[in-house]
Amino acid sequence: MKKSIFFAFLLMLMISVLGYLIYDSKIQRDNFTIINKKVKNITLLNMEFDLYIQNPLSYDNFDIIQRKITQFKNDLDEIRSNHILHKIKNQDLTQRLYILKKTTQEKFELMEKVKAHRAILNNSFRLIQKLYQFDLSPQFNSLYSTLLTTQLNPEIDLNQTLKKTLDLVSSNKYEKNFLKHAKIVLQYQLKFQKITLLLEKLHSKEKLDHFVTNYQKLTQDKIQRAYLSTIVLFGLLVLMITLNLVFAYRLIQSNKKLSRFRKTVENSDNIVVITNNHETITYVNDAFTRTTGYTYEEAIGQKPSILKSGKQSDLFY
């Protein structure tokens, strides 16, 4: 009986633990799915931000860029605050997230500068294209061609070009305005070069890649451990169920034998008396009551010496 209760208790305990592990694994999987989406999103956004900074003449709507910046910040904050990462308690991962947040904040500051510089640069560039439609001196043709290719040709020396531009002399108001805005274009192209260098020094892509690699390794290890724990516990549960069934089968067989033995004893013509360790009667069969005249209730709890009449010798007894 005690063994049966113990096996039943152990079985229920293992079922409860297995149920908790399955539930916890589902919660972890859901959280990892959410984080994976956030990580993929900030990776794509980071690439867009790099392109935005590196293309000063593109006409991107900064309101859209600003919404993407807000989305990036929200996604990164949700990743950092996700309880599954706090549960992992990996110092390296936490540190990488902190560095990533700090780096991207510096990148957003660069993007604000790009926003201001781009408006001035694009305005001057459009005016140059309009002014070139007027009759300008041939000396401006080479400068105009250079201005058109500054973004596409990194080999152009902007400082040298700016110096040559400053040496040019205008002969009318169109040429004067052309030179004015040509200087602005070259000066802001130089500013964009500095911003690009600052962007390279941030190494934001590398830091993000390091975080993603570290995160993916941790999640794979975590999922693998949870999977192995579930498999091991499931195997133990199957073993416990098997042992419980074997025990129950043996108990049934034993009860059948005891039942047959009990019927045999009860219906026997021989007197059967069973006592405990203290020699107190705990059972008598019908043959006992018929032969001795004692009822079942009178015999239980007595010593077998109640049958001693005193007329026989000790050897007989």
Side-chain angles (χ1 to χ4, degrees):
M1 184 65 179
K2 289 182 179 180
K3 287 184 179 180
S4 179
I5 294 173
F6 173 75
F7 273 113
F9 172 77
L10 195 58
L11 186 62
M12 290 301 297
L13 179 63
M14 294 186 71
I15 291 174
S16 300
V17 173
L18 182 61
Y20 171 76
L21 283 178
I22 293 173
Y23 172 77
D24 188 59
S25 297
K26 180 182 181 304
I27 296 297
Q28 289 188 33
R29 186 174 63 251
D30 292 344
N31 275 277
F32 284 140
T33 301
I34 293 171
I35 296 176
N36 287 336
K37 289 180 179 178
K38 301 295 182 185
V39 168
K40 186 180 293 185
N41 194 37
I42 64 174
T43 302
L44 293 174
L45 288 173
N46 189 63
M47 293 172 61
E48 288 189 41
F49 297 155
D50 287 345
L51 290 174
Y52 177 80
I53 293 174
Q54 294 168 1
N55 292 278
L57 291 177
S58 62
Y59 292 91
D60 296 323
N61 187 331
F62 194 77
D63 289 337
I64 296 176
I65 297 296
Q66 189 61 53
R67 285 200 293 271
K68 291 181 178 180
I69 289 174
T70 302
Q71 182 63 52
F72 186 98
K73 289 180 178 179
N74 291 338
D75 287 345
L76 186 58
D77 287 340
E78 287 184 30
I79 291 172
R80 295 183 69 201
S81 62
N82 193 290
H83 81 277
I84 199 70
L85 294 185
H86 289 284
K87 190 175 180 180
I88 293 175
K89 294 181 180 179
N90 184 278
Q91 189 63 35
D92 183 58
L93 189 66
T94 303
Q95 184 67 20
R96 290 187 186 279
L97 274 172
Y98 173 77
I99 293 172
L100 183 59
K101 183 177 177 63
K102 184 178 179 181
T103 301
T104 50
Q105 188 57 47
E106 293 177 17
K107 177 182 280 190
F108 296 151
E109 291 173 3
L110 290 179
M111 291 176 69
E112 285 290 340
K113 291 181 180 179
V114 169
K115 173 188 175 183
H117 294 350
R118 181 176 285 182
I120 297 172
L121 180 62
N122 284 331
N123 181 60
S124 292
F125 198 80
R126 285 195 299 269
L127 288 172
I128 284 174
Q129 290 175 313
K130 290 180 180 179
L131 290 167
Y132 190 71
Q133 304 302 318
F134 297 94
D135 292 330
L136 303 179
S137 302
Q139 61 178 336
F140 291 98
N141 293 335
S142 176
L143 175 59
Y144 181 70
S145 299
T146 302
L147 292 174
L148 289 178
T149 57
T150 51
Q151 186 179 358
L152 302 175
N153 187 359
E155 295 182 0
I156 294 175
D157 189 335
L158 293 176
N159 285 305
Q160 188 65 29
T161 304
L162 179 59
K163 185 178 179 181
K164 290 180 180 179
T165 303
L166 293 173
D167 292 337
L168 292 175
V169 179
S170 60
S171 59
N172 56 54
K173 64 178 183 178
Y174 301 113
E175 292 179 353
K176 182 179 180 180
N177 281 330
F178 183 90
L179 286 174
K180 173 186 174 183
H181 290 286
K183 293 173 187 176
I184 292 173
V185 168
L186 292 169
Q187 288 169 347
Y188 276 87
Q189 287 282 22
L190 286 168
K191 289 182 179 181
F192 272 108
Q193 279 189 351
K194 292 179 181 179
I195 290 175
T196 302
L197 289 174
L198 290 173
L199 176 64
E200 291 175 358
K201 289 180 180 179
L202 284 177
H203 300 293
S204 59
K205 184 180 182 303
E206 290 82 352
K207 291 173 182 176
L208 179 57
D209 290 343
H210 288 158
F211 162 72
V212 172
T213 302
N214 188 274
Y215 164 74
Q216 289 177 343
K217 183 179 182 302
L218 280 173
T219 54
Q220 288 172 1
D221 291 345
K222 190 72 175 177
I223 292 171
Q224 186 69 17
R225 288 178 184 177
Y227 176 75
L228 289 175
S229 298
T230 304
I231 291 297
V232 170
L233 191 61
F234 182 77
L236 290 174
L237 182 62
V238 171
L239 178 62
M240 285 299 303
I241 292 174
T242 303
L243 291 174
N244 199 46
L245 290 174
V246 171
F247 177 77
Y249 173 76
R250 290 183 176 179
L251 186 63
I252 291 171
Q253 293 299 110
S254 178
N255 286 337
K256 286 182 179 179
K257 290 180 180 180
L258 287 173
S259 179
R260 288 195 295 269
F261 176 74
R262 183 182 182 87
K263 288 180 180 178
T264 301
V265 169
E266 288 177 349
N267 298 321
S268 175
D269 291 331
N270 297 314
I271 295 175
V272 177
V273 178
I274 299 176
T275 68
N276 58 21
N277 292 337
H278 301 292
E279 299 182 358
T280 300
I281 297 174
T282 58
Y283 173 81
V284 293
N285 66 348
D286 291 342
F288 175 90
T289 59
R290 288 197 305 270
T291 303
T292 64
Y294 287 104
T295 64
Y296 181 85
E297 290 75 12
E298 289 174 337
I300 298 301
Q302 300 293 328
K303 301 280 187 179
S305 58
I306 60 172
L307 301 177
K308 190 174 182 179
S309 63
K311 295 180 180 181
Q312 303 292 340
S313 66
D314 292 338
L315 181 63
F316 171 81
Y317 290 112

